[in-house]
Amino acid sequence: LTLDLAQPHWGHAASWDTNGDLVVRVRRPPPLDRRRPLRGLVVAVDPGHPPGGAIGPTGLGEAEVNLAVARRLARMLEHADARAILTRTDDAALGLYERAQIAEAAGAHLFVSLHQNAFPDGVEPFAHSGTSTFYFHPHAEALARALQAELIREFRLPDLGVGRTSLAVLRRLTWMPAALTETMYMMVPHQEVALRDSDVQERIARAHLRALERFLRERDERMSAS
């Protein structure tokens, strides 16, 4: 199905109605304040895991780090006049589709899932660690690239790039741009030490905030130029 749109696309949703007809809804971009681009927006912040999650050499859990960063990012978003929605606020396990449902129910305009990475057995962590970001739907690629750029700028870790990957939480989210970041590797000892540091957690959150603002401004510039 191809739709020719008179206005830019922000997201979409497809479903079947009670008559068995396919219904496609198209979401328009939210209004943007150039000086405070997040003003009035709803941003879903997803602290990745539990269940599961990487464990560092001294036992630091990825889920713990992700929640600490998410809380900091939520405060920054509120200061930027956005409304922040945390998909979880404690250590209780939460399913991947439940995370997407929370964002959709809140009417979120943007979704970012915070993660730290790990390796399977047999991979040399010191030679292959770095920062990566993922998206699935094409309208989220620019968001993923903005997140990757700001995380690389902040920490100068090896750039493992931006990838289109069929991750469950991203695959479900068509109604808004959605991306997942892997800032550091829990299994690299000095990175695990860094992730324990509240100042580093603050820097990770700040880089995500800058990236969200960057994505919104750059998208608005592209729309204005077209």
Side-chain angles (χ1 to χ4, degrees), residues 134-153:
F134 300 96
Y135 72 98
F136 181 69
H137 296 289
H139 63 280
E141 181 178 359
L143 172 61
R145 294 197 178 280
L147 287 161
Q148 180 73 1
E150 289 299 333
L151 288 169
I152 294 298
R153 172 186 167 193

Side-chain angles (χ1 to χ4, degrees), residues 2-226:
T2 300
L3 302 179
D4 294 319
L5 302 177
Q7 298 179 37
H9 162 275
W10 184 263
H12 61 274
S15 61
W16 301 99
D17 68 11
T18 55
N19 296 321
D21 295 323
L22 176 65
V23 177
V24 179
R25 299 165 58 210
V26 177
R27 193 180 194 187
R28 304 301 185 193
L32 181 72
D33 181 335
R34 286 275 184 108
R35 292 173 300 176
R36 295 183 70 78
L38 287 161
R39 175 175 287 166
L41 300 191
V42 180
V43 181
V45 181
D46 175 43
H49 307 286
I55 303 295
T58 66
L60 178 63
E62 179 190 354
E64 177 185 345
V65 174
N66 295 338
L67 183 56
V69 174
R71 285 172 172 158
R72 286 170 166 77
L73 178 55
R75 288 196 295 270
M76 294 175 186
L77 288 165
E78 298 288 346
H79 286 308
D81 297 329
R83 179 182 168 215
I85 302 295
L86 289 177
T87 59
R88 68 175 177 93
T89 57
D90 56 29
D91 296 332
L94 185 65
L96 297 174
Y97 290 121
E98 291 176 88
R99 297 166 190 266
Q101 289 168 355
I102 290 168
E104 290 171 341
H109 298 94
L110 295 164
F111 177 96
V112 59
S113 187
L114 309 174
H115 288 254
Q116 314 304 321
N117 222 330
F119 291 109
D121 290 343
V123 177
E124 168 53 67
F126 296 101
H128 298 94
S129 64
T131 299
S132 54
T133 304
F134 300 96
Y135 72 98
F136 181 69
H137 296 289
H139 63 280
E141 181 178 359
L143 172 61
R145 294 197 178 280
L147 287 161
Q148 180 73 1
E150 289 299 333
L151 288 169
I152 294 298
R153 172 186 167 193
E154 182 66 35
F155 293 104
R156 305 296 180 186
L157 294 172
D159 186 350
L160 301 182
V162 173
R164 181 174 184 266
T165 306
S166 184
L167 300 171
V169 70
L170 301 181
R171 193 169 58 242
R172 165 68 187 265
L173 288 166
T174 61
W175 194 234
M176 69 205 74
L180 182 150
T181 59
E182 301 270 12
T183 302
M184 295 186 188
Y185 269 79
M186 297 292 303
M187 302 168 76
V188 178
H190 68 272
Q191 291 186 23
E192 184 203 27
V193 170
L195 290 168
R196 286 187 184 276
D197 189 330
S198 61
D199 289 338
V200 172
Q201 295 169 2
E202 189 83 2
R203 289 172 60 195
I204 295 172
R206 182 68 62 185
H208 280 77
L209 181 75
R210 289 198 311 266
L212 293 170
E213 293 176 332
R214 174 175 177 166
F215 163 71
L216 292 166
R217 288 193 177 104
E218 289 179 349
R219 193 180 193 285
D220 187 63
E221 289 171 1
R222 290 194 300 271
M223 289 169 50
S224 299
S226 61

